[in-house]
């Protein structure tokens, strides 16, 4: 889960200024996309945000139709084409009632992969989060969970398998603690490692989980919230996406715990299960933010450092450890 810092309450600036643009794509890739669209592209509004170095654009064709297209090649980042292939498999199988843009087709020449979706004529949530928009997305997640339970896709990983390495990151840190580790974190490193690992006993379920819910994967139109970018989807506990969203909100100074206490997908979850999952994500951010940036993703480590700061604060509050 290569998703990804600033202090708590500050907006995370993680726009990827290194994204390819439509004109940067190889001629044969543009031609393949236009064949799938059934019309030539006349304008491409290139999109920023997120971490992928690939191209992302809202396009308009000569016949007036519009679409959203994203594309990447192995030379840009060796993992992104495979991620897009995984997403294509998920999107082809999503039930129509799920608020996600329909996929029109995919281009794959072995080196480059492009995905073509219906365009959602919407915009991302305000950042920092407003309470009204956060509530709309939380309600949308509750509604979506009904469409995704039982899990409608067979060939996706279980959450405990997808997240196993992430939930064990504190164990790796405990084997060789970094010198700059937070003092509280260092003092409780073994307890954090055990707590995070225990999350693996509680993450499985029979809901298709998006697993990367944050502001830049949400769009609002006049009617509802839409959820985009589904490559990490897995079969898991129905409450996982709501915790991921609240973790994103915590980065902007929102206290998640009052929402945990009242959100319908979270009220019946054992508090220690949620705390264990948050601790696992905290260990993931602590470990990965210290690694070199992946090829083509220059902003991801600073984002992870910021996420570590706010996630650690939440873990400290929930554990109550001195």
């Amino acid at each position: 889960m290569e998703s990804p810092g600033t202090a708590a309450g500050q907006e995370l600036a993680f726009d990827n200024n290194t994204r390819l643009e439509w004109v940067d794509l190889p001629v044969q890739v543009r031609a393949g996309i236009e064949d799938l669209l059934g019309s030539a592209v006349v304008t491409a509004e290139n999109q920023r945000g997120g971490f992928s170095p690939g191209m992302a654009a809202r396009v308009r064709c000569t016949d007036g139709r519009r679409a959203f297209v994203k594309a990447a090649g192995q030379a840009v980042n060796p993992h992104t084409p495979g991620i897009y292939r995984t997403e294509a498999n998920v999107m082809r199988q999503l039930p129509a009632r799920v608020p996600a843009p329909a996929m029109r087709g995919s281009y794959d020449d072995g080196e480059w992969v492009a995905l073509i979706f219906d365009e959602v004529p919407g915009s991302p949530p305000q950042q920092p989060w407003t309470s009204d928009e956060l509530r709309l997305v939380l309600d949308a997640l509750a509604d979506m969970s009904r469409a995704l339970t039982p899990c409608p896709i067979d060939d996706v990983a279980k959450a405990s398998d997808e997240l196993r390495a992430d939930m064990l990151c504190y164990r790796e840190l405990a084997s060789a603690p970094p010198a700059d580790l937070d003092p509280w974190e260092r003092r409780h490193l073994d307890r954090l490692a055990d707590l995070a690992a225990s999350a693996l006993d509680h993450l499985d379920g029979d809901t298709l989980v998006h697993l990367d819910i944050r502001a830049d994967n949400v769009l609002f139109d006049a009617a509802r919230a839409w959820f985009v970018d589904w490559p990490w989807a897995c079969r898991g506990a129905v409450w996982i996406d709501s915790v991921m969203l609240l973790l994103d909100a915590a980065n902007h100074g929102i206290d998640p715990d009052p929402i945990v206490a009242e959100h319908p997908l979270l009220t019946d979850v054992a508090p220690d299960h949620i705390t264990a999952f948050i601790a696992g994500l905290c260990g993931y951010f602590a470990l990965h933010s210290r690694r070199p940036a992946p090829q083509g993703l220059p902003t991801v480590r600073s984002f992870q450092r910021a996420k570590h700061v706010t996630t650690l604060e939440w873990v400290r509050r929930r554990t109550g450890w001195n």
Side-chain angles (χ1 to χ4, degrees), residues 69-319:
V69 181
K70 60 183 183 180
Q74 290 184 2
V76 178
N77 178 276
H79 303 294
T80 303
I83 291 170
Y84 285 3
R85 292 183 184 106
T86 300
E87 182 176 11
N89 179 60
V90 172
M91 298 306 291
R92 291 188 186 102
Q93 300 182 70
L94 275 185
R97 63 187 181 277
V98 173
M103 194 177 78
R104 296 188 192 175
S106 61
Y107 168 90
D108 190 342
D109 63 14
E111 171 72 20
W112 284 84
V113 177
L115 307 182
I116 303 169
F117 299 93
D118 285 349
E119 182 189 25
V120 175
S123 58
Q126 296 181 53
Q127 294 295 280
W129 281 96
T130 67
S131 58
D132 287 345
E133 289 191 340
L134 182 61
R135 175 58 59 190
L136 284 172
V137 179
L138 285 164
D139 290 346
L141 286 176
D143 291 342
M144 186 168 70
S145 71
R146 290 187 279 274
L148 295 177
T149 308
C151 181
I153 303 177
D154 293 330
D155 55 341
V156 290
K158 296 192 303 181
S160 60
D161 292 335
E162 184 71 24
L163 291 165
R164 179 167 299 278
D166 301 345
M167 298 297 105
L168 300 180
C169 283
Y170 264 133
R171 286 191 175 169
E172 185 172 342
L173 284 167
S175 67
D180 62 345
L181 204 62
D182 175 90
W184 181 90
E185 198 172 22
R186 176 183 291 275
R187 189 161 65 250
H188 296 292
L189 199 47
D190 289 334
R191 295 177 76 183
L192 287 167
D194 290 343
L195 177 63
S198 73
L200 294 169
D201 295 328
H202 312 300
L203 294 177
D204 287 333
D206 197 23
T207 298
L208 185 70
V209 175
H210 181 286
L211 202 59
D212 200 18
I213 296 292
R214 58 177 195 255
D216 63 317
N217 287 335
V218 177
L219 292 172
F220 287 119
D221 66 10
R224 59 177 172 173
W226 296 78
F227 298 96
V228 302
D229 291 348
W230 288 75
W232 311 113
C234 61
R235 183 190 302 266
V238 68
W239 50 268
I240 289 175
D241 281 341
S242 297
V243 173
M244 299 291 285
L245 175 61
L246 292 179
L247 187 60
D248 191 56
N251 284 299
H252 303 284
I254 294 175
D255 182 356
D257 282 317
I259 301 172
V260 171
E262 64 177 21
H263 184 53
L265 297 182
L266 299 173
T267 53
D268 293 333
V269 183
D272 59 325
H273 296 181
I274 295 174
T275 305
F277 180 46
I278 299 166
L281 295 173
C282 191
Y284 170 84
F285 296 134
L287 179 66
H288 285 261
S289 66
R290 289 173 165 84
R291 293 180 171 174
Q295 179 181 328
L297 281 73
T299 61
V300 70
R301 299 310 184 205
S302 61
F303 178 76
Q304 290 170 338
R305 285 191 291 273
K307 294 280 275 191
H308 173 251
V309 170
T310 51
T311 308
L312 186 62
E313 287 186 0
W314 196 10
V315 172
R316 289 185 66 164
R317 292 197 304 271
R318 290 188 66 89
T319 60

Side-chain angles (χ1 to χ4, degrees), residues 26-57:
V27 172
Q28 74 275 11
V29 177
R30 296 200 305 268
I33 293 169
E34 290 176 330
D35 284 345
L36 290 166
L37 289 167
S39 183
V41 170
V42 292
T43 62
E45 183 184 347
N46 297 293
Q47 306 294 293
R48 296 174 59 188
F51 302 97
S52 172
M55 189 279 303

